[in-house]
Amino acid sequence: MNRSFRKIGGAALAGSILLTGFGLVGASPAAAADTCSAYQPKEFDTPGYNVDVKIRLCVRKSGGVHLAYAEGSWGDGGGAETNFEQFDIHVRIERNDAVKNKSTCSLSGDLNLYDSGSFDERGTSHSGSLHCGFMSSTTASGSGGWSADGSVTYNINNDGEGAHTWDLAGSPTIG
């Protein structure tokens, strides 16, 4: 009986490798290409544990459409106390440093509720509904010079200092 399961398991494994191989070989050269900045870490001195956040900005070209988004993760969030009154990520799609479109998303709810998590163009690891950027822009003529840029506006709960800005390094440019 064990030999039958091993044969079935081996056949399933071979089939999945074969399918994966076809997926890689069959990938279109016109598939989306992403270019991202390095992850940018920051530790925030909050009422609870110091919250650690890392963010990078990315730009994607898919056909004639250019998309910008933020992705990253956090740790030491959540807890009994509210850490942030505000934590807004601002993402811009730019062409030759001229803003073509922009978007803002608030991450304060997830940072205050969950000890750790991540976010990307699909949403957060907890709610799945937050989209940090992922807006598009198109151009009728020319190519090149497209990048993602952005910042974070944050306000630490009960510190009496109000809002601060964390400027993020933009992504490299793409065509």
Side-chain angles (χ1 to χ4, degrees), residues 81-160:
E81 297 188 50
T82 299
N83 292 316
F84 292 96
E85 293 177 33
Q86 177 183 17
F87 198 96
D88 294 340
I89 303 173
H90 309 282
V91 180
R92 301 182 302 273
I93 181 83
E94 298 181 352
R95 182 161 187 234
N96 300 322
D97 292 325
V99 176
K100 297 298 183 179
N101 205 341
K102 58 187 174 180
S103 179
T104 299
C105 66
S106 176
L107 198 60
S108 58
D110 283 298
L111 287 170
N112 289 330
L113 284 173
Y114 303 106
D115 178 55
S116 62
S118 62
F119 60 94
D120 61 17
E121 76 273 14
R122 294 178 303 273
T124 72
S125 56
H126 296 285
S127 67
S129 62
L130 172 76
H131 297 280
C132 285
F134 213 62
M135 83 295 285
S136 66
S137 190
T138 59
T139 182
S141 62
S143 64
W146 290 94
S147 63
D149 207 349
S151 62
V152 174
T153 303
Y154 65 94
N155 188 348
I156 296 173
N157 193 34
N158 294 326
D159 71 351

Side-chain angles (χ1 to χ4, degrees), residues 21-43:
F22 279 127
L24 293 174
V25 172
S28 165
D34 292 29
T35 302
C36 300
S37 67
Y39 279 104
Q40 301 164 68
K42 187 169 179 73
E43 182 178 70

